């Protein structure tokens, strides 16, 4: 099998090609296509010329392997793809799982020897060699004398055939692990640590099978610097057409030069995801107790799958396989992304690239550059994507939350092209006369502009126009009806904002006023000049003659439905309702009759209340007279006077009781008349 190597050098999140000595030629392994997206990713596609069966390999930086595995796309139009494989990402903890020492034990000789306690060692020190089994490694502090402090040494204790021997570790000339197997394990662990520290790359191998010479393409999506759109707009002195130039600023942070690369940039808002597919994950399993004799733990029944479904799964279900097994064998996605780019230009001095060819898709606009692009590594490139004449209208644009006093000098830009324009910053120039220099008037921000739509771009404060603003609030009755004694009142809450626009002294203006929208409210006034709405505002257009003041009243209304039981309406509330001029004559007459009945009832209730108050006063006076009568001598003039007054009070109380009975009857009649009238009232 012929092997062809595609090396991928990673820098700042981008894959580019590099070459390894002894691999296939540069023409076979060239980076051919790059597509940069506003989603913060780039699509990179390589081509390799193969004959018969071949292996294509990529060196990928470790922290970018997951992106490549997630998006890798291989296309062999005349052959078939076998499988793709790469080394597993075994953590160091797996390497040390079955070793008698840990990774931390390799941090020092003393730590390793402590972990190897009981092993046979051969130690040479001071021209003496001893062999024995390691008993202990003990720390001890040794004074340096003369106030120079202390040092820590480690003393080895060995059990030798001749007895216990000790040696200071720091004075040993050589220490040998006598167990060859254990010595090999230490060597392998150290090699694994070194390899893990240096292995910041993984190699992905793709097998292709076929006959004859053919081109195999491999592409993937990885993080890339965001490309930026910038615009220049040259506006005439009056309304008409403005010249729009758009440029794409992109950067080559891939680590290698782009030579004759078919370049595209895409503007949209794609969903771009990251997933650590190269990490190892384990499923947490429930733990069950160990069964002992006499104890049974029946399994939990979770149901059964019918045999028909099992047979269908066995015939059509797919099992697991090696990673990335079975890529697409024919061009599809990458062709759709890049196929329209033109072939490389003729050799010679590079020329400025022509305007990109835009293509409107379902979710994005793709700008493809017809000629291949050269861009050295680490450099930026400004390439044209738009050159159009678009209709504009010069306006003053006012929003209170942006500037409370002055509108902004703006341009209403209409995209009458066939494709949308990506968002970007916009530099605006004025060209008053054909042969005079340009004048820079300000910068603006252009949002995404789909085909057929328009946008306001504001670039300066219009100091010659001033806007004063006043707010008013009111609640009006707009109508009422009565059903079974319930009054249904239709009210309207109004929020009125008065804008007084003082125009420029020497020039007429077209002012677009953006009035805030409020949830639940609709715009009642004005009814003319409304040119559209945004999510938050209503746009109102007014022409402001030179030196004049124009007033705009924006009225927002919200209907309020209120149901009131007529029997519970107070006289004051009824008076407010009768003051409205929006109710029908029938409803008004009915409410006036209710008011008359309420007045009659109130008058009778007031008379009854006066009688009851008078009787309460007489009863209190009667109690006083009885106390005075009991304390005065019988037969005296004072006693006689108290008796006469007591009799007169008793007669008046009897008279008032008869009058109260009559008044209570009158109140009952008035209340019943009011209730009967209300209960049968429907208008």
């Amino acid at each position: 099998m012929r092997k062809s190597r595609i090396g991928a050098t990673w820098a700042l999140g981008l894959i580019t090609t590099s070459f390894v000595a002894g691999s296939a030629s540069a023409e076979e392994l060239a980076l051919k296509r790059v597509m940069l997206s506003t989603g913060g990713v780039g699509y990179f596609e390589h081509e390799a010329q193969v004959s018969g069966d071949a292996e294509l390999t990529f060196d990928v930086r470790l922290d970018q392997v997951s992106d490549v595995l997630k998006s890798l796309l291989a296309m062999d139009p005349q052959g078939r793809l076998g499988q793709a494989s790469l080394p597993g990402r075994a953590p160091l903890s797996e390497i040390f799982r079955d070793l008698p020492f840990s990774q931390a034990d390799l941090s020092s000789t003393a730590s390793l020897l402590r972990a190897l306690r009981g092993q046979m060692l051969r130690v040479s020190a001071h021209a003496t060699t001893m062999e024995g089994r390691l008993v202990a490694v003990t720390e001890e502090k040794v004074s340096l004398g003369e106030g120079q402090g202390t040092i820590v040494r480690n003393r080895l204790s060995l059990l030798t055939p001749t007895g216990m021997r000790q040696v200071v570790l720091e004075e040993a000339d050589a220490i040998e692990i006598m167990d060859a197997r254990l010595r090999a394990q230490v060597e392998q662990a150290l090699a694994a640590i070194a390899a893990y520290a240096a292995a910041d790359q993984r190699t992905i191998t793709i097998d292709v099978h076929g006959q004859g010479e053919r081109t195999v393409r491999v592409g993937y999506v990885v993080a890339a610097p965001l490309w930026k759109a910038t615009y220049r707009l040259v506006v005439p002195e009056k309304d008409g057409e403005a010249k729009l130039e758009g440029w794409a600023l992109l950067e080559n942070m891939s680590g290698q030069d782009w030579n004759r690369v078919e370049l595209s940039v895409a503007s949209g808002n794609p969903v771009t995801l990251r997933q650590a597919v190269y990490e190892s994950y384990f499923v947490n399993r429930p733990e069950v107790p160990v069964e002992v004799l006499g104890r049974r733990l029946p399994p939990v029944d979770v149901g059964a799958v019918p045999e028909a479904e099992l047979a269908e799964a066995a015939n059509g279900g797919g099992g697991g396989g090696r990673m990335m097994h079975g890529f697409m064998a024919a061009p599809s996605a990458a062709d759709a992304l890049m196929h329209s780019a033109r072939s490389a230009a003729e050799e010679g001095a590079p020329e400025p690239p022509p305007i990109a060819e835009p293509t409107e898709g379902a979710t994005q606009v793709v700008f493809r550059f017809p000629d291949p692009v050269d861009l050295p590594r680490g450099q930026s490139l400004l390439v044209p994507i738009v050159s159009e004449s678009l209709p504009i209208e010069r306006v003053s644009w006012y929003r209170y939350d942006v500037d409370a006093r002055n509108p902004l000098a703006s341009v209403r830009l209409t995209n009458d092209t066939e494709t949308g324009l990506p968002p970007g910053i916009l530099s605006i120039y004025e060209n008053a006369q054909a042969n005079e220099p340009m004048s820079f008037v300000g910068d603006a921000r252009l949002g995404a502009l789909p085909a057929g739509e328009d946008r306001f771009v504001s670039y300066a404060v219009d100091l010659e126009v001033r806007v004063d603003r006043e707010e008013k609030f009111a609640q009006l009755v707009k109508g009422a009806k009565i059903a079974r004694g319930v009054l249904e009142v239709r009210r309207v809450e109004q929020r009125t904002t008065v804008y007084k626009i003082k125009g420029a002294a020497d020039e007429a203006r077209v002012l677009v006023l953006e009035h805030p929208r409020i949830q639940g409210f609709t715009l009642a006034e004005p009814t003319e000049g409304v040119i559209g709405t945004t999510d938050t505002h209503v746009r109102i257009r007014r022409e402001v003659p030179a030196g004049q003041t124009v007033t705009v009243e924006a009225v927002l209304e919200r209907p309020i439905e209120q149901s009131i039981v007529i029997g519970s309406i107070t006289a004051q509330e009824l008076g407010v309702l009768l003051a409205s001029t929006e109710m029908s004559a029938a409803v008004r007459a009915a409410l006036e009759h209710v008011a008359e009945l309420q007045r009659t009832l109130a008058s009778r209730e007031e008379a009854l209340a006066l009688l009851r108050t008078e009787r309460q006063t007489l009863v209190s006076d009667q109690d006083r007279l009885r106390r005075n009568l009991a304390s005065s001598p019988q037969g005296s003039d004072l006693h006689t006077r108290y008796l006469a007054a007591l009799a007169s009070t008793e007669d008046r109380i009897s008279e008032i009781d008869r009058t109260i009975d009559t008044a209570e009857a009158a109140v009952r009649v008035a209340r019943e008349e009011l209730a009967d009238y209300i209960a049968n009232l429907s208008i």
Side-chain angles (χ1 to χ4, degrees), residues 101 106 177 180-194:
F101 50 86
L106 294 176
I177 301 173
R181 181 173 178 272
L182 179 58
R183 187 168 59 249
Q185 288 177 333
V186 175
E187 292 176 355
Q188 292 172 1
L190 292 172
I193 292 176

Side-chain angles (χ1 to χ4, degrees), residues 286-403:
E287 183 176 345
V288 297
V290 177
E291 293 186 353
V292 297
L293 185 62
R295 183 173 181 177
R296 297 291 181 267
L297 184 67
V300 178
D301 186 9
V302 295
V305 180
E307 289 186 4
E309 295 185 16
L310 288 173
E312 181 180 355
N315 293 331
R322 294 187 63 181
M323 191 182 311
M324 301 184 62
H325 179 77
F327 292 98
M328 296 176 59
S332 58
D335 286 320
L337 292 171
M338 298 296 181
H339 184 66
S340 64
R342 298 179 181 177
S343 59
E346 296 180 357
E347 296 182 359
E351 298 180 357
I355 301 297
E357 299 173 356
T359 302
E360 184 85 42
T363 60
Q364 62 183 4
V365 180
V366 178
F367 297 90
R368 293 182 172 87
F369 300 95
D371 290 343
V373 172
D374 293 333
L375 181 59
R377 70 188 73 185
Q379 294 194 16
S380 300
L381 184 65
L382 197 64
V383 286
I385 56 174
V386 176
S387 180
E388 298 284 350
S389 293
L390 302 181
I392 60 122
E393 180 186 18
R394 303 190 70 154
V395 300
S396 294
W397 175 80
Y398 176 80
R399 259 180 60 168
Y400 177 77
D401 57 344
V402 175
D403 192 315

